[in-house]
Amino acid sequence: MIQIKLDEYEIYTSGCTALMRITESMRQNINWGHGYFGNFNDKVAKSLSGTLAELAVAKCLKVHFNHHVNNFKGADLYFRNQRVQVRCQVPKNENFLIIRQDSSANEIYILVIDRCPIFEVIGYINSSDALGKPEYLTNFGYENRPKVYSVPITDLISIESLIND
C-alpha cells in the first residue's frame, strides 16, 4: 500500500472535475447506471471521491491525469500503455474492489481507500483474473442491482509490484 497526500489545489481541481462530470451527465440526460438511485449530493460525494482517487493513482504511478469528462467506459488512466480503472471506497470494516460484469478483459483495476487528503493506493488485479470467477460474484443483497465481481483486498496484488514490474 502506498499513501498519497493531495494538496488543497489538487482537491479543488478534482472538485471542479467531479462537478463537471455530474452536470455533464445531467445536461446529456444520462442517468447513473447499475440501479443506482442516489440523490444529487450523494452523486457529488461519490464523484469527488472517485476523481480524487484517480488523481492519487496518477501521482502514485507518475502518469498524467487530464481531469477527463464524458469518458464513460474509457480508461481512467494509462500506465505503460495499459488501461487502468480506479475504484475508490471510504474506509469500511471490509473494503473490496468492484469490477462490473460488462467490464473489459485485460485492464488493470486499482483499489484506493479515501481518507482525504490521504489516499491509500491498496493494490490491483487484472480484470481477466476476476471476470467469470463465481466466487467473486455478488449483488451485496441488493436485488434491484446487478451482480458485480467483488475482489477482497487479500486477493489483490500490491501496488508496489505493479510499479516495480
Side-chain angles (χ1 to χ4, degrees):
M1 185 253 313
I2 296 176
Q3 291 187 335
I4 301 293
K5 182 176 183 180
L6 299 182
D7 65 31
E8 294 82 6
Y9 179 75
E10 292 167 325
I11 294 169
Y12 168 77
T13 56
S14 294
C16 292
T17 300
L19 202 51
M20 180 67 81
R21 289 176 177 180
I22 293 167
T23 56
E24 273 296 289
S25 292
M26 291 168 62
R27 184 183 68 78
Q28 295 181 45
N29 201 28
I30 298 170
N31 292 322
W32 282 32
H34 313 289
Y36 180 79
F37 292 105
N39 64 33
F40 178 80
N41 291 334
D42 293 334
K43 290 178 182 178
V44 169
K46 289 186 183 312
S47 187
L48 176 57
S49 183
T51 304
L52 289 165
E54 290 172 19
L55 177 55
V57 171
K59 286 181 71 170
C60 178
L61 299 179
K62 295 180 174 53
V63 298
H64 176 71
F65 179 59
N66 67 3
H67 292 271
H68 58 270
V69 176
N70 295 337
N71 192 28
F72 305 110
K73 286 195 67 116
D76 293 329
L77 302 166
Y78 286 89
F79 181 67
R80 298 181 183 150
N81 295 318
Q82 184 145 17
R83 292 170 56 97
V84 174
Q85 305 293 351
V86 177
R87 295 294 182 258
C88 186
Q89 294 181 348
V90 296
K92 308 178 198 181
N93 289 337
E94 188 177 354
N95 287 98
F96 41 81
L97 186 147
I98 291 176
I99 301 176
R100 301 215 178 273
Q101 291 187 68
D102 63 352
S103 296
S104 298
N106 203 33
E107 291 187 330
I108 299 298
Y109 276 73
I110 298 176
L111 176 63
V112 178
I113 305 300
D114 176 353
R115 298 179 189 276
C116 191
I118 305 294
F119 289 80
E120 298 171 351
V121 184
I122 302 295
Y124 78 98
I125 191 168
N126 186 305
S127 58
S128 295
D129 294 330
L131 295 171
K133 300 274 175 85
E135 64 270 25
Y136 293 146
L137 201 56
T138 181
N139 66 3
F140 299 104
Y142 296 102
E143 297 303 322
N144 62 330
R145 300 201 65 189
K147 289 186 175 182
V148 296
Y149 296 99
S150 174
V151 183
I153 287 176
T154 55
D155 289 2
L156 299 179
I157 303 165
S158 75
I159 196 65
E160 292 88 350
S161 66
L162 178 66
I163 294 168
N164 298 325
D165 189 16

